[in-house]
Amino acid sequence: MDKRLTEARDALLQARRIVVFTGAGVSAESGIPTYRGENGVWRNYRAEDLATLDAFARNPELVWEWYNERRTLMLACSPNAAHLALSEFQASGAREVSPITQNIDNLHRRAGSRDVLELHGNAFRTKCASCDYAVYDHEPQGDGCRGLRDDFRCPRCGSWLRPDVVWFGEPLDDAVLDAAFERAADCDAFLSVGSSLLVQPAALLPEAAHRAGALVIEVNLEPTWLSELARWSFRGAAGANLPKLLGIAEGADRQGPEPASSGDG
Ligand code: BV8
Ligand code: ZN
């Protein structure tokens, strides 16, 4: 294993409170397009154009069609080695692990991660645009929203239902954001995985951790503004690097009894 990766892993495994902050890049190997990568344009729509309140007000059917298409794709994808390693790392209980994600694809939950802070919501949660009705849809709603489907009308007040995600220009949920900043300021290690760190205010979290003196490590295919600040910045895929960094790949972090010696010791 790359010497720098071993050093970073050994330093990381000393930490007691670790935030693992993820972006679209952690789900790329599961087959979910990123936002700004070469295939970053969703079909012929751009997230910035459709993931907005204006777009929904103008054409809710189109926005629902887009989200149903994305839900269908997300359900067809599976958590990859990065999601699974993070879930195993957290489950080991050896230290406090706080997953904070910008992704709405539900893959961290499906991988078994707990207590995931979903900064931008979850594509599978549906909420009423007017009252507090909300429901967690495990399956995409039918075959998409062709014309006015009454499935998209709130059973309580009749208003439009919408995906429970944070659109551009919308504020993030205060409680979620406060919790995220608290964890970033309190952690002793902060991992940024698969994010271009361009979307605010999420992109302020790595900075908050760095300012608080946390060990900062990055795994990303391309350099970001954090790459200079990080103690280690690995240019590589999350699926290949995160399991090694977390000591999962070769069981370096097994807390259980020493594996029985193979008798050649
Ligand atoms: C708000 C849900 C205010 C919807 C999302 C100008 C300057 C600065 C800020 C702004 C500005 N103009 C406007 C703003 C604010 C705006 C913003 O930040 N815009 C950006 C585009 C400049 N922010 C907002 O609007 C936020 N709200 O500010 O509200 C307010 C306050 C009070 C009252 C009223 C209003 C809301 C932002 C949330 C938007 N919603 N998603 C949906 O998706 O349907 S954001 C969406 O894009 C994703 O959720 C994700 O968070 C983000 C994309 O970021 P990344 O995850 O980093 O993904 P990206 O593709 O960019 O990068 C992937 C990286 O992975 C790449 O670097 C790539 O190299 C790497 N990679 C690829 N494959 C791999 C890999 N790495 C490792 N392994 C691999 N295999
Ligand atoms: Zn309602």
Side-chain angles (χ1 to χ4, degrees):
M1 183 160 111
D2 164 317
K3 186 166 160 296
R4 287 174 64 245
L5 206 49
T6 309
E7 284 167 4
R9 180 201 65 193
D10 294 350
L12 182 67
L13 296 186
Q14 303 304 317
R16 305 318 314 152
R17 289 179 312 287
I18 301 176
V19 165
V20 182
F21 174 83
T22 65
V26 83
S27 297
E29 290 154 271
S30 295
I32 297 184
T34 60
Y35 289 75
R36 290 171 190 80
E38 65 295 338
N39 61 353
V41 178
W42 286 76
R43 221 171 57 184
N44 44 3
Y45 300 128
R46 275 171 24 90
E48 278 78 3
D49 301 336
L50 267 186
T52 66
L53 209 49
D54 289 351
F56 187 70
R58 248 192 336 269
N59 191 342
E61 295 88 344
L62 174 64
V63 172
W64 263 114
E65 183 183 343
W66 184 51
Y67 276 90
N68 273 313
E69 178 183 306
R70 293 172 71 191
R71 283 181 172 191
T72 307
L73 171 69
M74 291 167 183
L75 282 169
C77 296
S78 308
N80 64 54
H83 298 104
L84 296 170
L86 172 54
S87 170
E88 186 179 334
F89 186 63
Q90 180 186 45
S92 81
R95 54 191 67 76
E96 193 186 300
V97 178
S98 297
I100 300 180
T101 190
Q102 302 172 86
N103 302 337
I104 63 171
D105 58 32
N106 206 41
L107 288 181
H108 283 305
R109 286 166 176 252
R110 285 176 56 194
S113 283
R114 293 187 329 284
D115 195 19
V116 183
L117 281 184
E118 294 172 318
L119 297 174
H120 297 151
N122 184 308
F124 293 91
R125 266 203 314 275
T126 294
K127 68 177 184 181
C128 175
S130 310
C131 76
D132 58 1
Y133 174 81
V135 68
Y136 187 57
D137 304 326
H138 287 276
E139 299 292 332
Q141 297 294 317
D143 62 354
C145 180
R146 306 223 186 296
L148 269 188
R149 286 171 50 99
D150 55 9
D151 294 12
F152 295 104
R153 286 295 177 177
C154 173
R156 269 198 216 138
C157 74
S159 296
W160 271 97
L161 295 175
R162 55 164 283 182
D164 189 1
V165 298
V166 180
W167 282 330
F168 287 98
E170 288 192 312
L172 279 64
D173 177 287
D174 283 339
V176 172
L177 195 55
D178 291 350
F181 273 104
E182 229 169 85
R183 291 184 188 182
D186 182 43
C187 70
D188 41 24
F190 187 101
L191 254 60
S192 179
V193 184
S195 182
S196 62
L197 298 174
L198 294 175
V199 175
Q200 303 281 350
L204 299 175
L205 288 166
E207 209 174 334
H210 183 260
R211 222 182 8 259
L215 164 70
V216 175
I217 300 174
E218 177 184 49
V219 175
N220 205 57
L221 279 190
E222 64 196 6
T224 70
W225 59 263
L226 185 66
S227 304
E228 292 303 307
L229 280 179
R231 173 71 186 73
W232 286 281
S233 180
F234 296 98
R235 212 54 65 240
N241 288 285
L242 192 58
K244 291 178 191 159
L245 196 53
L246 300 179
I248 299 289
E250 36 337 308
D253 191 33
R254 289 258 180 278
Q255 295 302 311
E258 278 306 302
S261 80
S262 49
D264 56 0

